[in-house]
Amino acid sequence: MKRKACAEVGIKSVDVDLPEDVSEADLISKVHQLNSDPDVHGILVQLPLPKHINEENVLSAISIDKDVDGFHPLNIGKLAMKGREPLFLPCTPKGCLELLKRSGVKIKGQRAVVVGRSNIVGLPVSLLLLKADATVTTVHSHTKDPEAIIREADIVIAAAGQACMIKSDWIKPGAAVIDVGTNAVSDPSRKSGYRLVGDVDYAEACKVAGCITPVPGGVGPMTVAMLLRNTLDGAKRVIGQ
Amino acid sequence: MKRKACAEVGIKSVDVDLPEDVSEADLISKVHQLNSDPDVHGILVQLPLPKHINEENVLSAISIDKDVDGFHPLNIGKLAMKGREPLFLPCTPKGCLELLKRSGVKIKGQRAVVVGRSNIVGLPVSLLLLKADATVTTVHSHTKDPEAIIREADIVIAAAGQACMIKSDWIKPGAAVIDVGTNAVSDPSRKSGYRLVGDVDYAEACKVAGCITPVPGGVGPMTVAMLLRNTLDGAKRVIGQ
C-alpha cells in the first residue's frame, strides 16, 4: 500500500529485501548506507523484526533526518517535551490528529482517552493530544473499569489491538472516536476466511458517536498519507539547506 | 543545598560560575570541556538560563552519559518508550516514585492524576507512573473541572506551581499526595517576609489524604538525593567500563 501510494504521488520508493536470517550488523550497515545516500530522504524499517535482531539498535541507527516513521527516541523525546519540535511525528498518531482537525473536532480543553500505550500509536498519540491541550488519560491492560473512564471522553483513540473491545455504551453520545485497531477475525463467508475489524464495535458505536472512523478505510490510509508527507518534508528540508 | 549534600556523601562538586552575559557559544564550549573531562561524572546546568541563551541547545550539548538531570530529549524519549531505559531519570520525578514505593503505596492499576505538565516534573512523572502501570491523567491549565478529576485519584502528584491550589475536598480519602510545588507567599511574621507553601492546602489535606508530603521538607530533599544517586550511577558506569 505504501509502495503504491509513493508511485501515485511521484515519490520513488526502493525496497531493500533482506533474508530473515540477516545479521543485526548487516542490517545496521544497510541502514548506514541509506543514511549516507543523498538520494534517500526517508528510511523506514518494516516492523516487527526477526527475534534475533535488537529493534532498538536498528531504529536508533536511522539518521534522525530520515526517520520518517518518527520512532527514534530523540524524536519521541522532542515530541513529548514542551517547546521542542521533533523532525518527524510518527505517522499514525499524526494521522489521528489530522483526522480530528479536518473533522472540526475541538481538542483544546477536551477530555481525551487513549486506549493502549504502544510506542508506535498509544504513547505518541497521548503526547500529541496533551501538546494540543486536551486533558488526556491513558487506559491500558492494568486499568480498572476502563468503561467508566472511556465514557467521560470527548475524544476516544482506540489502539489496544482487541477486536470490538469498545462497546457502544462505553461511548459518550457525540464523542469523536478514532479506531486504530486492525484485528483479523475469522469469517467463513469470506474467501480469505477472515475480515478486519477495529477495536470499536463500529456497527453499534456509530449510532452513538458524533463521528467515528471505520476499519478498514479510516486511519490506515491516513497513516500512509502522513508517511508521504513526512518524506516530502524531509526532502524539502534537505533541499532547503 | 546540592553542594552541601555532595560534600556530605563525599562527591566532589565544582561550581562553574559564568557571567550573566556569557555567550551561548562560550557556555556550550564550557559544557563540551566538562563532557571530555574524565574526572567529571555528572553535569547539571542550573536553570533558568538568561533569555539570550537557547536552553535546548545548551541542554542537548551535555553528553547523555553525564546528563544527571535526565533532561536530554534522548533520555526523555527513552523514558517515554516501552522497552527502553534512559541512562538517567529526571531527579524530581524519580524522587516522587521513590517516595511512593518507600511508603508502600501501590501504583500498578491505580488511578494517578498529575497536575502540571512541565518538562522537568509533570511530563516525566506522568510517563514514569504510566510505565509503572498506573492509569494516568494529566491535568493542566486548560483542563475543565480539575477538582472532579483529582477527586478520582488514588495518587495525586501536584506540580502546578500554584500556591494551595488543591483543596482538601478535592482529595479522595486515603489518597497518596505528593506535593512538588514550592511557592513563596508573603508572610509578614517571618524575618524574610515570606514562607514557602506547596500546591496543596497541606493543613487541611493532611486530614483527608492517606499520606502526604510537606512543603518544605518533602520532595525537595528527595530530589537532591536522586541527583546524588544519578551521579553515583554515572560514575559506576564509567568505572565499570
Side-chain angles (χ1 to χ4, degrees):
Chain A
M1 192 152 82
K2 292 168 187 171
R3 225 165 301 170
K4 203 173 142 226
C6 280
E8 273 173 25
V9 300
I11 292 178
K12 192 179 162 196
S13 75
V14 180
D15 294 335
V16 181
D17 290 316
L18 298 168
E20 204 181 320
D21 62 352
V22 65
S23 73
E24 188 176 307
D26 285 351
L27 175 52
I28 287 177
S29 136
K30 190 71 218 173
V31 170
H32 285 154
Q33 193 184 317
L34 295 169
N35 282 343
S36 57
D37 183 341
D39 288 339
V40 172
H41 298 114
I43 302 168
L44 72 86
V45 172
Q46 193 64 46
L47 301 180
L49 291 168
K51 287 218 190 307
H52 67 281
I53 291 179
N54 181 312
E55 182 186 296
E56 179 173 358
N57 294 345
V58 175
L59 294 185
S60 298
I62 299 173
S63 161
I64 66 153
D65 300 314
K66 299 187 179 185
D67 176 34
V68 284
D69 260 340
F71 294 157
H72 194 291
L74 194 58
N75 268 329
I76 298 289
K78 290 186 176 190
L79 160 58
M81 294 170 84
K82 210 185 286 190
R84 309 292 168 92
E85 289 298 331
L87 286 173
F88 299 104
L89 293 177
C91 303
T92 303
K94 182 175 177 167
C96 292
L97 272 278
E98 192 75 20
L99 281 164
L100 291 173
K101 284 175 192 165
R102 293 211 185 187
S103 308
V105 175
K106 195 185 160 196
I107 301 175
K108 189 172 180 167
Q110 299 302 99
R111 290 289 298 271
V113 171
V114 177
V115 187
R117 50 175 171 168
S118 69
N119 286 341
I120 59 174
V121 184
L123 172 77
V125 85
S126 291
L127 295 169
L128 275 179
L129 285 165
L130 181 61
K131 259 196 175 170
D133 293 329
T135 299
V136 183
T137 304
T138 309
V139 160
H140 49 77
S141 54
H142 296 287
T143 297
K144 292 175 194 155
D145 201 7
E147 304 91 294
I149 298 171
I150 294 167
R151 229 172 256 134
E152 289 176 6
D154 305 299
I155 298 166
V156 178
I157 312 283
Q162 300 284 333
C164 297
M165 164 196 164
I166 297 172
K167 309 297 176 198
S168 62
D169 64 348
W170 297 20
I171 292 167
K172 179 172 158 178
V177 179
I178 307 262
D179 192 351
V180 185
T182 318
N183 312 286
V185 296
S186 94
D187 183 348
S189 76
R190 302 273 176 117
K191 214 162 81 180
S192 61
Y194 73 92
R195 64 192 160 89
L196 293 179
V197 299
D199 289 353
V200 181
D201 180 5
Y202 183 85
E204 292 300 316
C206 70
K207 299 173 191 165
V208 184
C211 50
I212 182 167
T213 60
V215 176
V219 173
M222 194 49 120
T223 295
V224 177
M226 294 299 113
L227 178 64
L228 301 181
R229 176 88 234 177
N230 276 352
T231 308
L232 178 64
D233 289 346
K236 278 181 171 173
R237 258 196 300 264
V238 171
I239 292 163
Q241 270 168 2
Chain B
M1 192 151 80
K2 292 168 187 170
R3 225 166 299 170
K4 204 174 142 226
C6 280
E8 272 173 26
V9 300
I11 292 178
K12 192 178 163 197
S13 75
V14 180
D15 294 335
V16 181
D17 290 316
L18 298 169
E20 204 182 318
D21 62 350
V22 66
S23 73
E24 188 176 306
D26 286 350
L27 175 52
I28 288 177
S29 136
K30 190 70 217 173
V31 169
H32 286 153
Q33 193 183 316
L34 295 168
N35 282 345
S36 57
D37 183 342
D39 289 338
V40 173
H41 298 115
I43 302 168
L44 73 84
V45 172
Q46 194 63 48
L47 302 178
L49 291 168
K51 288 218 188 310
H52 67 283
I53 291 178
N54 181 311
E55 182 186 296
E56 179 173 0
N57 294 346
V58 175
L59 295 184
S60 298
I62 299 173
S63 160
I64 66 152
D65 301 314
K66 300 189 179 184
D67 176 34
V68 286
D69 259 341
F71 294 158
H72 194 291
L74 194 57
N75 268 328
I76 298 289
K78 289 186 175 190
L79 160 58
M81 292 170 85
K82 211 186 284 191
R84 309 292 169 92
E85 288 298 332
L87 286 173
F88 300 104
L89 293 177
C91 302
T92 302
K94 181 176 177 168
C96 292
L97 273 278
E98 193 74 19
L99 281 164
L100 292 172
K101 285 176 190 163
R102 295 212 183 186
S103 310
V105 175
K106 195 184 161 198
I107 300 174
K108 189 173 180 166
Q110 300 301 100
R111 290 289 300 268
V113 171
V114 176
V115 187
R117 51 176 171 167
S118 69
N119 286 341
I120 59 175
V121 185
L123 171 78
V125 86
S126 293
L127 295 169
L128 276 178
L129 287 165
L130 181 62
K131 259 197 173 170
D133 294 331
T135 300
V136 183
T137 304
T138 308
V139 160
H140 49 77
S141 53
H142 296 288
T143 298
K144 292 174 195 156
D145 201 6
E147 302 94 293
I149 298 171
I150 294 167
R151 231 173 254 132
E152 289 177 7
D154 305 300
I155 297 166
V156 177
I157 312 282
Q162 299 284 335
C164 297
M165 163 195 165
I166 297 173
K167 308 298 176 196
S168 62
D169 65 348
W170 296 19
I171 292 168
K172 180 171 158 177
V177 180
I178 306 260
D179 191 351
V180 185
T182 318
N183 312 287
V185 295
S186 97
D187 182 349
S189 76
R190 303 271 176 116
K191 215 161 82 181
S192 62
Y194 74 92
R195 64 192 161 89
L196 293 180
V197 300
D199 288 354
V200 181
D201 180 5
Y202 182 84
E204 292 301 314
C206 68
K207 300 173 190 165
V208 183
C211 50
I212 182 168
T213 59
V215 176
V219 173
M222 194 50 121
T223 296
V224 176
M226 294 300 113
L227 179 64
L228 301 181
R229 176 88 236 176
N230 275 353
T231 308
L232 178 64
D233 290 347
K236 278 180 166 171
R237 256 196 301 264
V238 171
I239 292 162
Q241 269 168 1

